[in-house]
């Protein structure tokens, strides 16, 4: 099996895990009797742990110049914790399991991306986005398949099929991680001062801040879209169709991204992603019909596909190869860690206080529009001639 094939299978299984957990785990928790605040708190643990976990694993990876070995170890740790998901059903127990799993699972994506980016750079003709798109296929397969399975089983509250599906995907990607390619190591391990310089670079700070705000705006969807569908009186199969439609659009964008990045600058691509997301959240806040809920997810090609491809390209352009894992981990810590933590907690509390998910989408649309305006204003300021 070629290295590219192993990487594709890894992404398929990892994002299959995301496709099982993201839309259905909050619904599973609600079926166990959790309140919106408890759901937000339990699922906020992962983002909170993301920063120290990802940075710790990445530092070890860069210092030892062994990202593939660090990835395999993190994946096996995640599997060990996921074994307890089907049997933990109380908030405290599930919180403990999520905490234990997040201590390694939150490092899996930055480590995998660092391995894939460097492998693609060393192999002319290879493309990170064309490998990563197999993750989108995995997401579609699990989101759609599990939705149909849950609907066929009668949409039973607290159905154990959800944690079992999550566990199966974690076991799969952990096994594949044992045989991923090892990129050629840099000639020397990075010095601590080089790593600290990343957080002082205004380009890195600006990129991380914008991406974290965008990702926080996505939190109502990531946390509560499955609940939103149920609150509209619709079956879990609609959630699966919506997720499949969204990731299908993402897949098309990832396929086209090499063409897009050759013609548009990063700021232009980010502007498209933020504007499309603002429109998506606003329309979703007012949608009720199944066709509308599913059709609006086509905007996911902009919300994630354009956003993710542009983020990876922008980060790779300003982070030196010797710090690739650290750079990816820093991005994951700030965006998927801090951004998710704030967004999840506010979404859970907002659901309880505002009485539904629709108002949360309207707030997210406003925040995305503000982010777009801030980016355009900053761009204009940078283009103005200096005074005097």
């Amino acid at each position: 099996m070629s290295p590219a094939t192993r990487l594709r299978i890894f992404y398929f299984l990892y994002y299959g895990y995301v496709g099982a957990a993201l839309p259905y785990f909050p619904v599973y928790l609600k079926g166990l009797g959790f309140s919106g605040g408890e759901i937000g708190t339990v699922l906020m643990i992962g983002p909170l742990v993301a920063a120290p976990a990802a940075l710790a694993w990445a530092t070890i990876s860069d210092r030892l110049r062994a990202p593939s070995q660090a990835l395999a170890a993190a994946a096996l740790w995640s599997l060990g914790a996921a074994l307890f998901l089907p049997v933990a059903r109380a908030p405290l127990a599930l919180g403990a399991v999520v905490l234990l799993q997040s201590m390694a699972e939150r490092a899996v994506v930055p480590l995998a991306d660092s391995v894939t980016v460097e492998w693609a750079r060393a192999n002319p003709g290879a493309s990170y986005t064309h490998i990563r798109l197999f993750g989108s296929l995995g997401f579609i397969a699990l989101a759609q398949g599990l939705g149909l399975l849950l609907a066929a089983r009668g949409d039973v509250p607290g159905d154990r099929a959800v944690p079992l599906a999550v566990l199966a995907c974690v076991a799969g990607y952990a096994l594949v991680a044992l045989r991923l390619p090892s990129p050629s190591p840099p000639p020397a391990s990075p010095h601590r001062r080089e790593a600290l310089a990343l957080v002082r670079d205004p380009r890195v700070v600006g990129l991380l801040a914008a991406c974290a705000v965008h990702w926080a705006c996505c939190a109502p969807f990531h946390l509560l879209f499955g609940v939103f569908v149920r609150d509209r009186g619709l079956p879990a199969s609609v959630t699966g169709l919506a997720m499949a439609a969204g990731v299908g659009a993402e897949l098309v964008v990832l396929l086209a991204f090499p063409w897009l990045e050759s013609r548009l600058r990063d700021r232009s691509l980010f502007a498209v992603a933020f504007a499309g997301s603002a429109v998506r959240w606003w329309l979703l806040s007012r949608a009720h019909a199944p066709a509308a809920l599913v059709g609006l997810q086509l905007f996911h090609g902009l919300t994630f596909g354009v956003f993710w491809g542009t983020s990876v390209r922008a980060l790779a352009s300003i982070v030196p190869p010797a710090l690739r894992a650290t750079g990816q981990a820093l991005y994951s810590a700030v965006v998927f860690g801090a951004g998710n933590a704030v967004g999840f907690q506010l979404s859970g509390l907002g659901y309880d206080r505002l009485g539904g998910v629709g108002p949360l989408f309207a707030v997210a649309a406003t925040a995305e529009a503000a982010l777009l305006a801030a980016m355009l204003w900053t761009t204009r300021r940078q283009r103005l001639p200096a005074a005097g």
Side-chain angles (χ1 to χ4, degrees):
M1 188 182 297
S2 70
T5 300
R6 292 194 188 110
L7 288 167
R8 292 181 185 115
I9 294 173
F10 175 87
Y11 278 108
F12 182 94
L13 291 169
Y14 179 84
Y15 284 98
Y17 148 73
V18 177
L22 187 62
Y24 302 115
F25 207 71
V27 181
Y28 169 72
L29 296 182
K30 188 179 182 185
L32 294 180
F34 288 31
S35 68
E38 288 172 332
I39 294 172
T41 298
V42 169
L43 297 183
M44 181 184 68
I45 292 172
L48 282 177
V49 175
L55 289 172
W57 284 94
T59 298
I60 293 171
S61 169
D62 282 338
R63 294 292 293 175
L64 298 179
R65 296 183 294 166
S68 296
Q69 290 82 351
L71 173 58
L76 289 174
W77 180 320
S78 179
L79 172 59
L83 292 171
F84 296 95
L85 282 175
V87 297
R89 297 174 72 83
L92 184 59
L94 265 167
V97 173
V98 170
L99 172 62
L100 182 61
Q101 185 184 11
S102 299
M103 291 171 67
E105 184 271 329
R106 293 291 160 161
V108 168
V109 167
L111 289 172
D113 285 344
S114 68
V115 169
T116 307
V117 167
E118 288 307 311
W119 182 85
R121 283 173 175 254
N123 290 270
S127 166
Y128 163 80
T129 55
H130 284 183
I131 292 174
R132 167 58 181 79
L133 66 82
F134 279 80
S136 302
L137 293 173
F139 189 103
I140 291 173
L142 266 293
Q144 177 67 7
L146 186 55
L148 293 173
L149 175 63
L150 294 174
R153 289 164 62 89
D155 287 324
V156 179
D159 195 329
R160 287 185 198 262
V162 174
L164 288 173
V166 169
L167 174 58
C169 290
V170 174
Y173 79 66
L175 292 176
V176 176
L178 298 175
R179 297 293 304 277
L180 290 180
S182 297
S184 299
S189 299
H191 194 275
R192 185 177 301 174
R193 287 195 299 270
E194 296 176 278
L196 291 175
L198 285 180
V199 298
R200 300 192 187 104
D201 188 331
R203 298 173 301 168
V204 174
V205 173
L207 174 65
L208 296 182
C211 292
V213 172
H214 170 73
W215 205 246
C217 292
C218 297
F221 177 79
H222 291 153
L223 183 68
L224 295 169
F225 181 72
V227 175
F228 183 60
V229 170
R230 293 291 183 92
D231 287 351
R232 292 290 198 249
L234 301 170
S237 56
V238 173
T239 302
L241 284 171
M243 290 293 173
V247 183
E250 170 191 317
L251 182 64
V252 171
V253 170
L254 290 176
L255 278 170
F257 193 78
W259 182 86
L260 290 172
E261 68 178 346
S262 69
R263 288 162 174 79
L264 296 173
R265 296 188 305 169
D266 290 345
R267 285 182 180 269
S268 298
L269 290 169
F270 275 131
V272 170
F274 299 156
S277 299
V279 172
R280 176 189 183 184
W281 304 139
W282 176 252
L283 294 178
L284 195 56
S285 73
R286 308 170 68 85
H288 289 80
L293 295 180
V294 173
L296 285 172
Q297 304 323 309
L298 295 177
F299 278 98
H300 195 68
L302 305 180
T303 301
F304 184 79
V306 171
F307 165 75
W308 180 248
T310 308
S311 298
V312 171
R313 182 178 78 163
L315 195 64
S317 69
I318 56 181
V319 174
L323 288 169
R324 188 75 67 210
T326 298
Q328 291 292 151
L330 184 63
Y331 178 93
S332 180
V334 174
V335 178
F336 301 137
N340 253 351
V342 173
F344 277 11
Q345 187 64 60
L346 291 178
S347 295
L349 294 174
Y351 177 78
D352 289 337
R353 296 183 181 181
L354 298 177
V357 186
L360 294 175
F361 286 136
V363 172
T366 303
E368 289 273 14
L371 174 62
L372 174 63
M375 190 189 74
L376 294 177
W377 180 81
T378 302
T379 301
R380 182 175 180 275
R381 290 271 297 177
Q382 291 175 345
R383 289 176 178 172
L384 290 175

